[in-house]
Amino acid sequence: MAEKITPRSENYSQWYVDIILNAKLADYSPVKGSMVIRPHGYALWEAIQRNLDDMFKATGHTNAYFPLLIPESFIKKEAEHVEGFSPELAVVTHAGGEELEEPLVIRPTSETIIWSMYKKWIQSYRDLPLLINQWANVLRWEKRTRLFLRTSEFLWQEGHTAHATEKEAREETLRMLNVYKEFAEKWMAIPVLTGVKSPSEKFAGAIDTYAIEAMMQDHKALQAGTSHFLGQNFAKAFDVTFQNDTGSLEYVWATSWGVSTRLVGALIMTHSDDKGLVVPPKLSPVEAVIIPIFRNKNKEEVVGYARKLYDRMKDEFRVKLDADDSNSPGWKFAEWEMLGCPVRIELGPRDMENGKAVLVRRDNGEKEIVDIEAVPARVGELLESIQTTLFQRALENRETHTYDVDSYDRFKAIFDGEGGFIRMPWCGDAECEAAIKEETKATIRLIPFEQPELKGAVCPRCGKPADKIAVYARSY
Amino acid sequence: MAEKITPRSENYSQWYVDIILNAKLADYSPVKGSMVIRPHGYALWEAIQRNLDDMFKATGHTNAYFPLLIPESFIKKEAEHVEGFSPELAVVTHAGGEELEEPLVIRPTSETIIWSMYKKWIQSYRDLPLLINQWANVLRWEKRTRLFLRTSEFLWQEGHTAHATEKEAREETLRMLNVYKEFAEKWMAIPVLTGVKSPSEKFAGAIDTYAIEAMMQDHKALQAGTSHFLGQNFAKAFDVTFQNDTGSLEYVWATSWGVSTRLVGALIMTHSDDKGLVVPPKLSPVEAVIIPIFRNKNKEEVVGYARKLYDRMKDEFRVKLDADDSNSPGWKFAEWEMLGCPVRIELGPRDMENGKAVLVRRDNGEKEIVDIEAVPARVGELLESIQTTLFQRALENRETHTYDVDSYDRFKAIFDGEGGFIRMPWCGDAECEAAIKEETKATIRLIPFEQPELKGAVCPRCGKPADKIAVYARSY
């Protein structure tokens, strides 16, 4: 605790770092580009991981584990892939006291090593679909890093599926995109847009990359997850064929999809405030904290009163009793606010006499006094209400800062001001896209699935015909 | 499925590999020394991980994540540590297209990077104890590998705790050793010995290393977990001091402890048989499989009968209905035996008519016919019985092959024969220990906590006085 948190209005980037360091979510490490995820931050990742993993399993996936080190030659087998990842690779040249015959790279992503195994495992249509996920660390060398959002090493999951037909693989790609959307919205309380990336922003080796994109409080976009339709690119690179039900050989169709510890950054930047972290109840390691307020003379009674409540609640809620007497109640209030605990339950001697408790919501600070008997039920209601409120607040932020624009001057004016998501017709030309990025730092975040009818629309920047709306934003 | 499994009596090592490949627990990878953990094997690791993690949390530990890459200079800060690990390091010399100023090693274990962070986090006795665990991959370059038991990269957990006093750190070391013992015995059904390692077998950088040791079916030992009292070695190497409650500075006391994917190997080698894997019910991804036996004409009724049972059981058990009609019942029986599923429930048309079910135990093949209504309760009993039986069987194997020996000729004769655990007085001399290893390939697995009274005992090999019994065995 204790360092001051820079207000968001003053410096949003510094506020973000202050939250992370003060809530002890992460720390800088002595290894350039790598961070340490501290217990409070890791607990958020564990909650994300456990719930997402349940969703993966419910959609038929199983987990596996593939090697960290990949022969350099594997990365080179898919042309776009090597071009995309080469500049970011970390290379092991020596091991066991000797120089290696072939250098090994630390996985930046695992398509190549996994498809080299799929070649062994897939012979017939009976072996398909193969629906495997991996939870792992990956490494992409970065010069400029930002805690949780961009670090050389990060934790993630990567799904890698193999299918008999293009149709099935495309369905899987969208199924997992929707799993991400549902998880972001229902669990993280983060509304997201879905759509396809422009070719210049797609994954190196994919045919199509789909993404979920969220708006942060500063109106910048954050890509929170991606799902790739890989076509037969990796099957061809690794010669993975199967015998179809008529007996002839075909290349296998593929998808891959991933989310990372970046989600923790998204969670912080979507909900937190100048007092600290705000965590959506469904992912909060502690849903409610009970803080007894006592002096030496009445400690035993008040703590006993609190413990009785704790015992009643502990099977139903992730609840914590903070009866430590080395810190004052005021210090504890601030500490649990810093950690983003959704509901605080204060119990003082007067509450005890009256059979009451004070409940305080983290999201808006509202206090209420309720009968002690009614506390568990009321906490349940508050948790639901907080979950909904956080989502609605984030949605409102996005809606208020989303603009339909058909003039490039207006487009530039918005980014000169508060920024936001801009929906604007796009000509489909990568050069025009690059020029807009150069001129405004805004990129196409995605081309949304739902498109208005565009009749005779043009790209406002170049004047060429446009048949699609793209969503532009500055991004993390 | 389908390759033949070599019988244990013929070739135990080949049997072990056959089980792993046939049950699709793991596979060889194109990266020398690394393995791929396939979904069936990873599911066992997930079960181990989830239950151990609960035990760590119940003893006050939290999880965190530290960088994969460690500056080479860190490893060199603790003299014994660098000597122990140097020959096994994999070194990153290039990243992001450039040669690094200082090479980075892939963590072989994380004491050094973690204690470099503890220096930042620990100032006062109020910051202690610090009880952190990490689930991670580590890498120790190996020339000769064996699936699950010895691979260059492996998955593990490593606890790293910091304490104000030697006493507390020593208590923590033994607490976690006991957590491992309890987990091995109650969950994995593997009886283990506990004790301290001889100085020549301890962890590089520890004062004392404690271990749990299990006997495999071939009477060889397998070290299944270790817990180290590190004294102030790493605190001194990284200059980690704290202000004690009288205001003066002291070095912090440390422990570390770990188990790895090796446990999956221990599980296979303790319980499995010539038909395949045998998994203790508490860790089995599927506790019971329901296999309806039908033809085309009665498929609907029989599968309906099976599904009703499945619906009744699914909230209480990890149960699976295998109603796939592309494989015969016989094929499925063999497949689920291969996977080690504890209980098989067969439901045929005649069972349906009579309101019965056939239950088959995986551990001993016993069949029984029970009323369909009684199936859930009976399966519950069988699962408990199988868990106990597996433990008892392993215990009996160990007890039958444990010998109290006071003659070196007898000692050698045992290792020339069936092998086993030999309890024999030890002079305490590392040279004598090394000579025994040279002459018999047996090493001191541990010096057990419980010691008999030794009056005038001598080391049978060298004749020098011995005040302790050591347990010797050949080991994995």
Side-chain angles (χ1 to χ4, degrees):
Chain A
M1 268 282 294
E3 306 296 318
K4 204 173 145 292
I5 293 177
T6 307
R8 285 167 291 179
S9 57
E10 203 173 286
N11 183 337
Y12 191 75
S13 290
Q14 190 55 48
W15 164 82
Y16 175 71
V17 171
D18 287 350
I19 293 279
I20 290 172
L21 298 180
N22 278 281
K24 297 183 180 171
L25 302 177
D27 204 348
Y28 297 105
S29 93
V31 188
K32 211 175 144 190
S34 289
M35 66 186 274
V36 173
I37 306 178
R38 301 185 71 173
H40 290 154
Y42 199 83
L44 295 174
W45 178 241
E46 279 181 297
I48 289 171
Q49 194 173 19
R50 202 163 271 214
N51 292 299
L52 255 183
D53 196 68
D54 286 345
M55 293 173 81
F56 296 158
K57 285 179 177 151
T59 43
H61 303 84
T62 52
N63 291 325
Y65 188 77
F66 296 85
L68 171 75
L69 298 178
I70 301 178
E72 203 174 38
S73 57
F74 281 28
I75 301 281
K76 295 181 176 162
K77 289 197 180 187
E78 211 289 329
E80 274 191 22
H81 197 67
V82 62
E83 200 186 317
F85 285 105
S86 274
E88 302 177 354
L89 297 176
V91 188
V92 175
T93 55
H94 292 72
E98 291 172 9
E99 187 167 355
L100 297 173
E101 281 177 31
E102 181 184 358
L104 299 169
V105 304
I106 296 179
R107 61 182 162 222
T109 177
S110 301
E111 276 78 6
T112 58
I113 185 81
I114 288 179
W115 279 84
S116 80
M117 297 307 299
Y118 282 5
K119 181 175 173 57
K120 275 178 91 171
W121 300 342
I122 299 171
Q123 275 92 42
S124 132
Y125 68 96
R126 288 169 182 271
D127 300 319
L128 298 172
L130 192 54
L131 306 173
I132 291 184
N133 177 62
Q134 167 171 270
W135 292 95
N137 54 343
V138 287
L139 199 137
R140 299 173 186 177
W141 205 254
E142 295 281 354
K143 297 259 147 119
R144 291 173 51 190
T145 60
R146 201 187 257 272
L147 294 168
F148 286 113
L149 298 181
R150 192 175 299 280
T151 49
S152 290
E153 184 190 5
F154 56 92
L155 303 181
W156 80 343
Q157 61 67 218
E158 45 182 325
H160 294 273
T161 68
H163 305 266
T165 64
E166 172 172 3
K167 181 167 172 286
E168 267 186 44
R170 286 199 175 274
E171 282 168 2
E172 168 80 2
T173 310
L174 295 182
R175 181 180 307 117
M176 300 322 290
L177 185 73
N178 279 324
V179 163
Y180 290 156
K181 179 180 165 71
E182 190 183 332
F183 181 75
E185 299 195 333
K186 296 215 174 127
W187 290 84
M188 305 192 71
I190 300 177
V192 294
L193 298 182
T194 54
V196 67
K197 288 277 174 186
S198 67
S200 69
E201 298 273 340
K202 75 179 172 59
F203 175 76
I207 306 287
D208 291 310
T209 288
Y210 300 86
I212 54 169
E213 293 276 337
M215 182 187 283
M216 302 295 101
Q217 291 172 358
D218 64 349
H219 318 138
K220 283 169 78 173
L222 187 139
Q223 176 178 301
T226 49
S227 185
H228 315 293
F229 170 65
L230 303 173
Q232 297 173 312
N233 289 350
F234 287 91
K236 286 178 180 164
F238 288 88
D239 192 28
V240 187
T241 57
F242 72 102
Q243 197 161 39
N244 66 21
D245 52 9
T246 66
S248 57
L249 282 182
E250 290 183 47
Y251 284 112
V252 176
W253 297 87
T255 84
S256 68
W257 28 273
V259 300
S260 74
T261 33
R262 189 158 227 251
L263 286 180
V264 178
L267 186 145
I268 298 166
M269 284 206 293
T270 302
H271 303 304
S272 301
D273 62 24
D274 292 349
K275 287 192 281 186
L277 195 61
V278 174
V279 185
K282 284 190 177 184
L283 293 178
S284 189
V286 178
E287 291 171 305
V289 59
I290 302 173
I291 301 179
I293 303 164
F294 53 82
R295 308 205 170 182
N296 275 338
K297 58 171 186 177
N298 59 15
K299 177 177 173 185
E300 206 172 306
E301 297 92 307
V302 179
V303 171
Y305 185 66
R307 191 173 304 280
K308 245 165 74 181
L309 179 63
Y310 172 80
D311 287 338
R312 275 182 60 210
M313 292 182 70
K314 72 180 193 308
D315 293 335
E316 197 184 341
F317 299 96
R318 296 186 296 277
V319 63
K320 182 133 182 164
L321 173 62
D322 185 353
D324 178 3
D325 55 9
S326 59
N327 296 307
S328 71
W331 188 94
K332 291 179 191 172
F333 295 173
E335 173 76 359
W336 286 100
E337 269 176 353
M338 174 68 74
L339 294 176
C341 180
V343 175
R344 178 170 87 228
I345 305 171
E346 305 173 6
L347 297 174
R350 206 179 323 158
D351 302 310
M352 185 175 67
E353 276 163 36
N354 301 331
K356 301 284 185 184
V358 179
L359 306 185
V360 187
R361 291 170 69 131
R362 175 65 182 90
D363 60 337
N364 58 18
E366 279 177 17
K367 273 192 185 196
E368 55 185 279
I369 299 174
V370 300
D371 288 342
I372 192 79
E373 296 306 322
V375 169
R378 185 60 187 146
V379 166
E381 289 167 4
L382 287 178
L383 293 173
E384 272 188 42
S385 168
I386 294 168
Q387 186 80 27
T388 309
T389 302
L390 291 178
F391 179 80
Q392 286 302 334
R393 201 191 272 178
L395 186 60
E396 201 181 301
N397 178 52
R398 187 182 80 191
E399 287 182 347
T400 314
H401 297 91
T402 296
Y403 307 92
D404 277 292
V405 164
D406 56 11
S407 133
Y408 192 49
D409 282 342
R410 169 87 175 115
F411 183 96
K412 286 188 285 190
I414 289 168
F415 288 115
D416 285 342
E418 285 199 305
F421 281 5
I422 298 188
R423 295 162 48 86
M424 190 171 82
W426 176 45
C427 55
D429 185 339
E431 277 180 40
C432 189
E433 184 187 6
I436 290 174
K437 182 175 178 181
E438 176 70 30
E439 288 158 12
T440 66
K441 291 183 191 147
T443 52
I444 294 178
R445 302 318 303 158
L446 47 74
I447 296 143
F449 291 125
E450 283 186 33
Q451 289 281 334
E453 251 190 83
L454 289 183
K455 277 183 198 154
V458 297
C459 170
R461 186 186 161 280
C462 70
K464 280 187 281 187
D467 65 353
K468 280 204 168 60
I469 289 289
V471 174
Y472 292 84
R474 288 184 182 151
S475 75
Y476 283 98
Chain B
M1 269 282 294
E3 306 297 318
K4 205 175 142 294
I5 292 178
T6 307
R8 285 166 291 179
S9 56
E10 201 173 287
N11 184 337
Y12 191 75
S13 290
Q14 189 56 46
W15 164 82
Y16 175 72
V17 171
D18 288 350
I19 294 279
I20 290 172
L21 297 181
N22 279 283
K24 296 184 181 170
L25 302 178
D27 203 348
Y28 297 104
S29 93
V31 187
K32 210 176 145 190
S34 289
M35 66 187 273
V36 172
I37 306 178
R38 300 186 72 171
H40 290 155
Y42 199 82
L44 295 174
W45 178 240
E46 279 181 298
I48 290 171
Q49 195 173 18
R50 202 164 271 215
N51 292 299
L52 256 182
D53 195 68
D54 286 346
M55 293 174 81
F56 296 158
K57 285 180 177 151
T59 42
H61 303 83
T62 52
N63 291 325
Y65 188 77
F66 295 84
L68 170 75
L69 297 178
I70 301 179
E72 204 174 38
S73 57
F74 280 29
I75 301 283
K76 295 181 176 163
K77 288 197 179 186
E78 212 288 327
E80 276 191 21
H81 197 66
V82 63
E83 200 185 317
F85 284 105
S86 273
E88 302 177 353
L89 297 176
V91 188
V92 175
T93 55
H94 292 72
E98 291 172 10
E99 186 168 357
L100 296 173
E101 281 178 31
E102 180 182 359
L104 298 169
V105 304
I106 296 178
R107 60 182 164 223
T109 178
S110 302
E111 277 77 5
T112 58
I113 185 81
I114 288 179
W115 279 85
S116 80
M117 296 308 298
Y118 282 5
K119 180 173 172 57
K120 274 178 90 170
W121 299 344
I122 298 171
Q123 274 92 42
S124 134
Y125 68 96
R126 288 170 182 269
D127 301 320
L128 298 172
L130 192 54
L131 306 174
I132 291 183
N133 177 62
Q134 168 172 270
W135 293 95
N137 54 343
V138 287
L139 199 138
R140 300 173 186 179
W141 205 254
E142 295 280 355
K143 297 258 147 118
R144 292 173 52 190
T145 60
R146 201 187 256 272
L147 294 168
F148 286 114
L149 298 181
R150 193 174 298 280
T151 50
S152 290
E153 184 189 5
F154 57 89
L155 302 182
W156 80 342
Q157 60 69 217
E158 45 182 325
H160 294 273
T161 68
H163 304 266
T165 65
E166 172 171 6
K167 178 165 175 287
E168 266 186 45
R170 286 199 175 274
E171 283 167 1
E172 168 79 3
T173 310
L174 295 182
R175 181 180 306 119
M176 299 322 290
L177 185 74
N178 279 324
V179 163
Y180 290 156
K181 178 179 165 72
E182 189 183 331
F183 181 75
E185 299 195 333
K186 296 214 174 130
W187 290 84
M188 305 192 70
I190 300 178
V192 293
L193 298 182
T194 54
V196 68
K197 288 276 171 185
S198 67
S200 69
E201 298 273 341
K202 75 178 170 63
F203 174 75
I207 305 288
D208 291 312
T209 287
Y210 301 86
I212 56 170
E213 293 275 339
M215 182 186 282
M216 303 296 100
Q217 291 172 359
D218 63 351
H219 318 139
K220 282 170 77 172
L222 186 138
Q223 176 179 298
T226 48
S227 185
H228 315 294
F229 170 66
L230 303 174
Q232 296 173 311
N233 289 351
F234 287 91
K236 284 178 180 164
F238 288 87
D239 192 28
V240 186
T241 57
F242 72 102
Q243 197 160 39
N244 68 19
D245 51 9
T246 66
S248 57
L249 283 183
E250 289 183 46
Y251 285 112
V252 175
W253 297 86
T255 84
S256 67
W257 28 274
V259 300
S260 74
T261 33
R262 186 157 231 249
L263 286 180
V264 177
L267 186 146
I268 298 166
M269 285 204 295
T270 303
H271 302 303
S272 300
D273 62 24
D274 292 350
K275 289 191 280 185
L277 195 61
V278 174
V279 185
K282 284 190 178 185
L283 293 178
S284 188
V286 178
E287 291 170 304
V289 59
I290 303 173
I291 301 180
I293 302 164
F294 53 82
R295 308 204 170 182
N296 276 338
K297 58 172 184 175
N298 58 15
K299 176 177 172 186
E300 207 171 308
E301 298 91 309
V302 178
V303 172
Y305 184 64
R307 192 173 303 280
K308 247 166 70 185
L309 179 62
Y310 172 79
D311 286 338
R312 274 181 61 209
M313 293 182 69
K314 71 180 193 307
D315 293 335
E316 198 184 341
F317 299 96
R318 294 185 298 276
V319 62
K320 183 133 181 165
L321 172 63
D322 185 354
D324 178 5
D325 56 9
S326 59
N327 296 307
S328 72
W331 188 93
K332 290 180 191 174
F333 295 173
E335 172 78 0
W336 286 100
E337 269 177 352
M338 174 68 73
L339 294 177
C341 181
V343 175
R344 178 170 85 227
I345 306 170
E346 306 174 6
L347 296 175
R350 205 179 322 160
D351 301 310
M352 185 174 67
E353 275 163 35
N354 301 332
K356 301 283 184 187
V358 179
L359 306 186
V360 187
R361 291 172 67 132
R362 174 66 183 89
D363 59 339
N364 60 16
E366 278 176 17
K367 273 193 185 196
E368 54 185 279
I369 298 174
V370 301
D371 287 342
I372 190 79
E373 296 307 320
V375 169
R378 185 61 187 146
V379 167
E381 288 166 6
L382 287 178
L383 293 173
E384 272 186 44
S385 167
I386 294 168
Q387 185 80 28
T388 310
T389 303
L390 292 178
F391 180 81
Q392 286 302 335
R393 199 191 274 177
L395 185 61
E396 200 181 302
N397 179 52
R398 188 182 80 192
E399 287 181 348
T400 314
H401 297 89
T402 296
Y403 308 92
D404 277 292
V405 165
D406 55 11
S407 131
Y408 192 48
D409 283 342
R410 169 88 174 114
F411 182 97
K412 286 188 285 189
I414 290 168
F415 287 115
D416 285 343
E418 286 200 305
F421 280 4
I422 299 189
R423 295 162 48 88
M424 188 171 83
W426 177 45
C427 55
D429 185 338
E431 276 180 40
C432 190
E433 183 188 7
I436 291 175
K437 182 176 177 181
E438 177 70 29
E439 289 157 12
T440 67
K441 291 186 189 144
T443 51
I444 295 179
R445 301 318 303 156
L446 46 73
I447 297 143
F449 290 125
E450 282 184 35
Q451 289 283 336
E453 250 191 84
L454 289 183
K455 276 184 200 154
V458 296
C459 171
R461 186 186 162 279
C462 68
K464 278 186 285 188
D467 65 352
K468 284 206 164 59
I469 289 289
V471 175
Y472 292 83
R474 288 185 183 152
S475 75
Y476 283 98

